[in-house]
Amino acid sequence: MDSLPTSSALHGVRVIEMGQLIAGPFCGKTLGEFGAEIIKIEAPADPERPDVPGGDPLRNWRLIKEGTSVWWQVQSRNKRSVALDLRQAEGQDIARRLIAEADVLIENFRPGTLEGWGMSPDELHALNPGLVILRISGYGQTGPYRDLPGFGVIGEAMGGLRHLTAEPGRVPVRVGVSIGDTLAALHGAIGVLMALYHRKVNGGQGQVIDVALHEAVFNVMESLIPEYSAFGAVREAAGSALPGIAPSNAYPCTDGWVLVAGNGDSIFKRLMAAIGRQDLADAPDLGSNAGRVARVAEIDAAIGAWTAAHSVQQVMETLGAARVPAGKVYTAKDIAEDPHYQARDMLLQQPTRDGYSVQVPGIVPKLSGTPGSIRSSAPHLGDDTDAVLAEAGLTAEQIALLRSKGVIQ
């Protein structure tokens, strides 16, 4: 593990993470990789329900090794785990004590949950005026849908993404990862950084950042609404193509698929020359995107006929030499073996607290002066409870009493 460089971009920023699963914790992960101290509050195991493990449910999602999800090893690196029961008044008192000394609070509970615990933004700002509170929820803290349950997949649908991710006339499919949650997390991280900048540079106070899952998705939907507003055009699913921009599609090869983006004017001419279609390269009406869109079926057929006679590697080599953007469809195996990923430190070996190492994604973005780092492996539930509470001023006797009551673990 790397030691914390004093030049880390967020060195000295303390974050209390009260979220679980994906959206809130991914934001905490991002901030932690650039030096913020992340104290993750998790629910202790319930002794009356031994079949239900405590902590963030992500600990038990997807593939499990040595009792813990390997996904957890990425999502919770650089974090400290405090097992604290927020349903109990004493647990809420401890949380307020930690929040009083924090710069940022991240939560992704259903709206009203914090208020029910006596931790509304007004109450927390009375305790800590400079606190930046990030609230991620399905529909936001206001509006007629605020109390409805909402996961990332619902945000993807309401945000307009699911309608477009399909072959025409077929069932909408998901992107394959929880992109709605991650988009919300990244919008949340941007909001946190802006709020911290405002507080430090402009002398501002703390504030609330309200991120709705569907709005985070909607924010990246490009021209969807302007086109509907100006023309009444409802964009429809187009499979692997990019409607209105040509050519840009997936094309079959003898051993797989290749993506080709030949939609620049000069790129298109080089692409057509490379596949032996000089007639299309020289066609006057195909010199601009509008003309190519009008004849996109013909262009796609020409490209597809050429790629279908070659392997993915042959296509990549030919188009690479012609300076035409092209790429194969990567699997996890392709990524893990790719020299470019390796050269850019995007595949790292990370030790775990369970005694094995696992390959994990590197850190994005790459900062030249204050790069991110992995300083500690993902914690077991409650690994840092005693240390964090001692730092907050509790005595060993007080900590033992809280543990005996089941407030902490």
Side-chain angles (χ1 to χ4, degrees):
M1 297 296 173
D2 300 335
S3 61
L4 177 60
T6 56
S7 59
S8 290
L10 298 178
H11 179 65
V13 173
R14 172 174 277 203
V15 178
I16 305 299
E17 180 191 296
M18 294 170 72
Q20 59 182 14
L21 296 176
I22 303 173
F26 191 93
C27 179
K29 163 190 173 294
T30 302
L31 300 176
E33 287 170 347
F34 291 91
E37 178 191 5
I38 311 296
I39 297 175
K40 181 176 180 66
I41 295 179
E42 303 183 75
D46 187 343
E48 297 183 1
R49 300 189 63 188
D51 57 318
V52 180
D56 190 328
L58 191 77
R59 290 178 175 274
N60 302 289
W61 273 24
R62 292 191 57 79
L63 301 187
I64 307 297
K65 187 175 177 64
E66 302 296 333
T68 303
S69 166
V70 292
W71 185 358
W72 173 260
Q73 306 299 344
V74 181
Q75 188 84 313
S76 295
R77 61 195 186 192
N78 296 328
K79 297 181 182 181
R80 307 171 77 189
S81 172
V82 173
L84 180 65
D85 189 350
L86 293 172
R87 298 169 301 175
Q88 298 192 46
E90 288 176 286
Q92 296 159 13
D93 288 341
I94 296 297
R96 280 188 285 267
R97 190 163 180 166
L98 297 176
I99 292 168
E101 301 299 323
D103 298 286
V104 180
L105 170 65
I106 297 173
E107 65 99 352
N108 62 341
F109 302 117
R110 189 179 299 187
T113 301
L114 277 188
E115 286 80 355
W117 290 335
M119 287 184 272
S120 68
D122 285 345
E123 291 169 305
L124 294 180
H125 280 144
L127 187 67
N128 182 352
L131 182 68
V132 173
I133 305 173
L134 170 60
R135 313 191 76 176
I136 302 177
S137 60
Y139 301 96
Q141 303 297 315
T142 61
Y145 302 164
R146 72 179 293 269
D147 294 321
L148 295 177
F151 272 19
V153 60
I154 309 303
E156 293 162 27
M158 187 175 177
L161 180 62
R162 277 297 184 98
H163 183 67
L164 302 183
T165 53
E167 294 288 342
R170 302 188 68 180
V171 62
V173 297
R174 69 179 308 150
V175 173
V177 294
S178 304
I179 193 69
D181 291 291
T182 307
L183 285 172
L186 293 175
H187 280 83
I190 293 169
V192 166
L193 297 178
M194 288 190 290
L196 290 175
Y197 180 90
H198 173 65
R199 193 184 72 180
K200 181 174 182 178
V201 176
N202 300 324
Q205 293 294 300
Q207 56 184 299
V208 177
I209 303 158
D210 181 1
V211 175
L213 291 172
H214 74 283
E215 291 172 352
V217 174
F218 178 60
N219 193 37
V220 301
M221 293 306 294
E222 300 177 351
S223 60
L224 190 74
I225 288 300
E227 289 173 357
Y228 177 73
S229 175
F231 304 104
V234 176
R235 185 169 168 179
E236 300 292 344
S240 61
L242 190 59
I245 301 174
S248 182
N249 212 330
Y251 303 93
C253 299
T254 59
D255 58 349
W257 293 82
V258 67
L259 303 179
V260 179
N263 44 289
D265 295 347
S266 60
I267 295 174
F268 175 75
K269 290 182 180 296
R270 296 197 300 272
L271 170 59
M272 292 300 103
I275 70 172
R277 292 300 304 267
Q278 195 63 45
D279 58 318
L280 296 178
D282 295 337
D285 61 324
L286 299 183
S288 67
N289 185 65
R292 293 192 295 273
V293 169
R295 296 174 61 181
V296 65
E298 177 186 358
I299 295 170
D300 277 345
I303 300 171
W306 177 76
T307 60
H310 299 83
S311 69
V312 170
Q313 187 61 32
Q314 289 171 330
V315 170
M316 293 288 291
E317 290 175 355
T318 300
L319 297 188
R323 293 180 293 116
V324 174
K328 69 177 184 180
V329 180
Y330 274 55
T331 66
K333 182 175 184 294
D334 293 325
I335 292 172
E337 296 175 354
D338 189 276
H340 192 74
Y341 271 89
Q342 295 167 4
R344 289 182 55 79
D345 291 329
M346 284 309 300
L347 297 167
L348 305 177
Q349 283 297 131
Q350 180 180 308
T352 71
R353 301 192 189 187
D354 295 311
Y356 68 92
S357 292
V358 64
Q359 192 174 60
V360 296
I363 296 171
V364 179
K366 300 190 179 303
L367 277 62
S368 62
T370 54
S373 63
I374 302 174
R375 304 178 305 282
S376 63
S377 54
H380 293 137
L381 178 60
D383 264 357
D384 307 284
T385 301
D386 288 21
V388 170
L389 296 191
E391 291 166 10
L394 275 73
T395 66
E397 291 75 16
Q398 289 173 316
I399 294 172
L401 180 60
L402 289 170
R403 182 165 285 115
S404 70
K405 294 179 179 180
V407 178
I408 63 173
Q409 178 179 326

